[in-house]
Amino acid sequence: MPTIKAINHVAVVVDDMEKSLSFWRDALGIELHELRDVPAEKSQVAFLPLAGAEVELVMPTSDESGIAKYLAKRGQGMHHICLEVDDIDGMLSQLRSKNIRLINEEPRTAVDGKKYAFIHPESTGGVLVELYQI
Ligand code: CO
């Protein structure tokens, strides 16, 4: 049976990366591990690891991106919570069998080889949930 292992990261959408880092990195004092452009998602992501999990700040780098559309519609704020799972294919089938609405019917593969898929907020109590298999 597929098992959820941990909270992997919490993602926050921001419209000004430096301004957000002045809170998360400078005011709270969480170390910025990496600031990376993700051309495939037309966004920039800051990774702030914290005791086995991460805060991720996501900023659109193009008006065309999904994140830009989200930001225009809803403004800055919590974007998604990501749960690490040991068997993403198994978990997606389990969710389908329980009529949970998925955004990605099949897992996608990130540049670093991680498999991920999103679950629709309609089925989760309003929170976009990402599954990650490392
Ligand atoms: Co994520």
Side-chain angles (χ1 to χ4, degrees):
M1 207 168 141
T3 307
I4 298 294
K5 295 296 184 186
I7 292 177
N8 183 278
H9 61 268
V10 171
V12 177
V13 182
V14 306
D15 61 12
D16 181 336
M17 186 60 81
E18 274 313 309
K19 197 173 167 196
S20 295
L21 285 172
S22 75
F23 170 68
W24 292 94
R25 177 192 57 198
D26 305 334
L28 286 179
I30 307 174
E31 190 186 340
L32 173 63
H33 175 70
E34 194 186 358
L35 188 59
R36 181 166 81 202
D37 277 311
V38 185
E41 303 289 346
K42 298 191 180 73
S43 61
Q44 186 184 52
V45 183
F47 297 93
L48 298 105
L50 198 62
E54 280 184 326
V55 174
E56 292 186 6
L57 308 177
V58 185
M59 184 188 75
T61 51
S62 155
D63 288 345
E64 309 295 293
S65 68
I67 289 288
K69 287 172 190 140
Y70 181 96
L71 190 59
K73 200 169 156 191
R74 304 203 186 179
Q76 298 192 101
M78 238 328 266
H79 186 254
H80 65 268
I81 181 165
C82 176
L83 304 176
E84 186 186 330
V85 62
D86 59 357
D87 171 9
I88 195 168
D89 295 293
M91 183 56 81
L92 291 176
S93 328
Q94 176 173 306
L95 293 173
R96 264 192 296 270
S97 77
K98 295 177 188 300
N99 296 314
I100 300 299
R101 186 172 165 195
L102 304 175
I103 291 176
N104 306 112
E105 290 293 333
E106 298 299 328
R108 292 179 163 194
T109 305
V111 276
D112 57 8
K114 289 187 193 108
K115 290 166 85 178
Y116 67 95
F118 284 94
I119 306 169
H120 200 281
E122 187 186 277
S123 295
T124 66
V127 180
L128 180 60
V129 175
E130 180 179 27
L131 295 173
Y132 235 16
Q133 182 184 329
I134 294 173

